[in-house]
Amino acid sequence: MARHNRKRRPRDPVDRELAEQREAGLIAKLAAQAQELHEMEAVATDARSRLRSRAVKLAEDRELDITDIAQATGMSRDTIHRLLRQRHAKPTRHAPAEPMAAPQSTYRVGQRVLHPYHGEGTIEHVEGQVLSIRFINEPEKVIQLLGGWATLQLADATELPNGDAIQEAPTR
């Protein structure tokens, strides 16, 4: 127990037990108040977002003037104008482009591969082009490589990178 609390604790064991029970009750009450506060914050956030969307809707429909909305909601006119601009924003050529989806790797989990430096290993995880490989020479480490840039070869020559076996043409 901290030194600054020693003087506040009663010396009598019964009084000390009662003090500890009182502290436990206060801590439980404080936790309940914190939970209630979090719930109230969530409700307030939801109400704020609904208020903003309603204000933008009224301004768009020209049912209310932006000044009237600002006075009624407490939002500034600039905030309402910014919300309207965000809603009607059109992508421009200067806007950042949407990121392209990363191409999927042709490798799959469980395949045995050969690397010129690390040697033979097994693919343990594939996420997009990133391959997590555990090599036989270093079994304690998992090394991540980019499948498109890594100089990997399949250890089993009869297997294709996508996991299918090589199909031989039937001979007549």
Side-chain angles (χ1 to χ4, degrees), residues 107 111-116 119-121 150-157:
Y107 295 97
Q111 283 183 318
R112 309 278 300 162
V113 292
L114 295 172
H115 188 270
E120 186 175 351
T151 53
L152 295 175
Q153 294 177 349
L154 290 173
D156 185 8

Side-chain angles (χ1 to χ4, degrees), residues 88-160:
H88 294 295
K90 293 180 183 173
T92 64
R93 64 180 199 173
H94 301 293
E98 290 290 323
M100 291 178 52
Q104 290 298 316
S105 176
T106 56
Y107 295 97
R108 64 176 172 79
V109 174
Q111 283 183 318
R112 309 278 300 162
V113 292
L114 295 172
H115 188 270
Y117 175 74
H118 295 290
E120 186 175 351
T122 305
I123 298 175
E124 292 190 347
H125 185 72
V126 178
E127 188 173 329
Q129 285 290 321
V130 179
L131 307 174
S132 299
I133 305 172
R134 186 176 304 272
F135 290 99
I136 294 175
N137 299 339
E138 305 169 81
E140 67 280 352
K141 288 194 322 188
V142 174
I143 298 175
Q144 293 186 337
L145 300 171
L146 283 174
W149 293 96
T151 53
L152 295 175
Q153 294 177 349
L154 290 173
D156 185 8
T158 62
E159 193 174 355
L160 294 173

Side-chain angles (χ1 to χ4, degrees), residues 49-115:
S49 67
R50 282 188 280 125
L51 175 68
R52 286 186 173 190
S53 66
R54 180 71 178 144
V56 169
K57 176 94 170 88
L58 290 172
E60 283 179 340
D61 295 343
R62 306 252 191 247
E63 290 182 26
L64 285 177
D65 187 36
I66 291 177
T67 305
D68 297 334
I69 296 171
Q71 288 174 352
T73 61
M75 287 190 275
S76 69
R77 289 173 46 87
D78 292 336
T79 301
I80 296 170
H81 281 291
R82 182 176 47 81
L83 291 171
L84 284 168
R85 279 193 306 272
Q86 286 175 353
R87 188 168 223 181
H88 294 295
K90 293 180 183 173
T92 64
R93 64 180 199 173
H94 301 293
E98 290 290 323
M100 291 178 52
Q104 290 298 316
S105 176
T106 56
Y107 295 97
R108 64 176 172 79
V109 174
Q111 283 183 318
R112 309 278 300 162
V113 292
L114 295 172
H115 188 270

Side-chain angles (χ1 to χ4, degrees), residues 17-67:
E17 180 67 30
L18 289 173
E20 288 174 359
Q21 289 176 358
R22 196 171 340 142
E23 286 177 8
L26 289 173
I27 289 173
K29 189 184 289 185
L30 185 63
Q33 288 175 347
Q35 179 63 31
E36 185 179 330
L37 178 65
H38 287 299
E39 291 170 2
M40 288 172 51
E41 286 176 345
V43 169
T45 302
D46 183 45
R48 191 176 304 118
S49 67
R50 282 188 280 125
L51 175 68
R52 286 186 173 190
S53 66
R54 180 71 178 144
V56 169
K57 176 94 170 88
L58 290 172
E60 283 179 340
D61 295 343
R62 306 252 191 247
E63 290 182 26
L64 285 177
D65 187 36
I66 291 177
T67 305

Side-chain angles (χ1 to χ4, degrees), residues 167-172:
Q167 299 292 326
E168 293 185 19
T171 56
R172 291 187 192 199

